[in-house]
Amino acid sequence: MAHRTGQAPLATTLARGLDTVLDRTIAPGYTRLGLGLRRRLPTWPDDPAPDALRGKVAAVTGATSGLGLATAEGLARLGASVRLVVRNVEKGEEVRAELLERVPGADLAVDRCDVGDLDDVRRAAAAIETALDGRALDVLVHNAGVMPPERTLSPQGHELSMAVHVLGPVLLTDLLRERLAASDGARVVLVTSGGMYAQALRVDDLEYDASPEDYSGTTAYARSKRAQVELLPSLTTRWAPDHVSVAAMHPGWADTPGVVDSLPGFHKLTGPVLRDAAGGADTAVWLGAVQPAPPSGALWHDRRVRPTSLLRRTRPSPADRRALWAWVRENAGLD
């Protein structure tokens, strides 16, 4: 991993200490102020080369707005051919036209996929495989997200947050393994949320089946993001034989349409210090392009590996992680 050279040991130690303080205190570390400060520290990793993804293919789910749109644009600016994987093709084509204005000459395509519908994920994976026509898929960013206010079920009967954030991404990646394996070290990035730090892994009630009356959209969202992070060891093991690495990253607090719609009170309170979408997407783009490739299986924020749990009560046991992986394998239909 490239870092700025010529750093004095004391300066590096102090910079890392400040970065850690920003991370553990959450605010202002998750805001645009934290990102701006980190960019000025001597420990901030170098940007990828301007043409780091020239000749590479990337796919981004949920790419019509917010972090997904910013990630797609960032990858395109580095030279990647980018597939916008979206539920609404008409909106996807509008976004494609907007991106072409901002990144002239970019190679962009639109693929339809409802990530929460596992049958549609299977259809979309086959369509993407055909469209790639033998080309490798080098970067796959899972950004599509939902936060339903009431307990909502997917077409297969799964709680929608778990379907969109866990089952769909794992299945789509697994179905595209042949194209990923054709790359010289493909990278999969799960866009998670710092909100997962407040939630434990509830393997006893992953989908609120036992307690539907207690359903909270924000809690369900955070629980599904916790599940994403706790799957990292299992996904690393599963995809490593194909030389596919996987990482999770959380964007901090970013000003996106999803935040405005789902958390209006939070947006009103924090609006002045929220990151823009590009700032929130920075680490996802960086993980997809930086050389050498980051290690597989880690959680990242602002280009640095972060702990997956800050509180003892949210730290799952190995048995809990195994139970989660068994549930995912069964419900996503993996062999």
Side-chain angles (χ1 to χ4, degrees):
M1 191 181 307
H3 289 271
R4 295 174 185 172
T5 57
Q7 300 173 24
L10 179 58
T12 299
T13 299
L14 291 174
R16 286 195 170 276
L18 176 58
D19 178 272
T20 298
V21 169
L22 288 170
D23 187 61
R24 303 303 189 271
T25 54
I26 300 179
Y30 287 13
T31 68
R32 61 182 176 84
L33 304 176
L35 177 60
L37 178 56
R38 285 184 173 118
R39 286 184 182 278
R40 290 167 173 78
L41 294 177
T43 48
W44 182 256
D46 292 335
D47 292 337
D51 60 348
L53 295 177
R54 187 72 57 194
K56 304 290 187 180
V57 178
V60 182
T61 69
T64 54
S65 66
L67 298 176
L69 175 54
T71 300
E73 180 172 346
L75 296 171
R77 289 188 181 280
L78 293 173
S81 298
V82 181
R83 309 196 70 86
L84 312 175
V85 183
V86 302
R87 283 194 306 165
N88 186 326
V89 172
E90 182 178 354
K91 188 174 181 181
E93 291 293 352
E94 292 175 359
V95 167
R96 178 178 178 273
E98 293 172 9
L99 282 176
L100 284 172
E101 291 181 0
R102 298 205 291 267
V103 192
D107 182 9
L108 306 171
V110 177
D111 298 297
R112 178 173 64 86
C113 181
D114 181 348
V115 180
D117 181 342
L118 300 185
D119 290 338
D120 198 51
V121 168
R122 295 183 179 94
R123 179 206 57 77
I128 292 171
E129 176 98 22
T130 299
L132 287 173
D133 192 25
R135 293 186 70 186
L137 178 59
D138 303 284
V139 181
L140 175 56
V141 180
H142 291 291
N143 167 80
V146 294
M147 191 185 293
E150 299 177 351
R151 187 172 185 269
T152 305
L153 300 182
S154 74
Q156 288 74 37
H158 297 292
E159 191 277 316
L160 196 58
S161 293
M162 291 296 289
V164 172
H165 303 147
V166 177
L167 295 176
V170 172
L171 178 59
L172 181 60
T173 305
D174 220 66
L175 292 171
L176 291 172
R177 278 173 71 180
E178 185 174 339
R179 292 300 93 221
L180 292 163
S183 171
D184 183 19
R187 306 178 193 187
V188 177
V189 180
L190 297 164
V191 178
T192 187
S193 167
M196 66 94 192
Y197 279 121
Q199 296 298 320
L201 180 61
R202 289 292 305 275
V203 292
D204 60 321
D205 194 15
L206 286 169
E207 302 189 79
Y208 276 94
D209 290 318
S211 55
E213 70 282 356
D214 296 329
Y215 186 84
S216 160
T218 54
T219 300
Y221 179 89
R223 285 185 183 180
S224 67
K225 296 299 185 175
R226 164 62 66 186
Q228 282 183 331
V229 170
E230 299 307 339
L231 281 170
L232 288 171
S234 297
L235 297 179
T236 294
T237 298
R238 183 173 181 85
W239 296 331
D242 293 315
H243 306 288
V244 177
S245 68
V246 58
M249 61 75 64
H250 80 80
W253 295 344
D255 193 354
T256 66
V259 172
V260 174
D261 294 340
S262 301
L263 300 169
F266 174 80
H267 183 268
K268 183 177 180 180
L269 179 65
T270 61
V273 295
L274 293 179
R275 303 174 178 206
D276 61 16
D282 173 82
T283 297
V285 175
W286 182 84
L287 285 168
V290 70
Q291 293 292 347
S296 186
L299 169 65
W300 298 77
H301 172 58
D302 284 352
R303 303 189 184 187
R304 183 175 170 185
V305 173
R306 307 293 175 178
T308 56
S309 291
L310 300 178
L311 304 172
R312 181 176 296 180
R313 67 176 177 81
T314 65
R315 188 173 298 118
S317 67
D320 286 340
R321 291 194 185 96
R322 289 194 296 271
L324 172 65
W325 179 229
W327 178 86
V328 170
R329 290 187 65 173
E330 177 182 355
N331 288 283
L334 305 185
D335 55 26

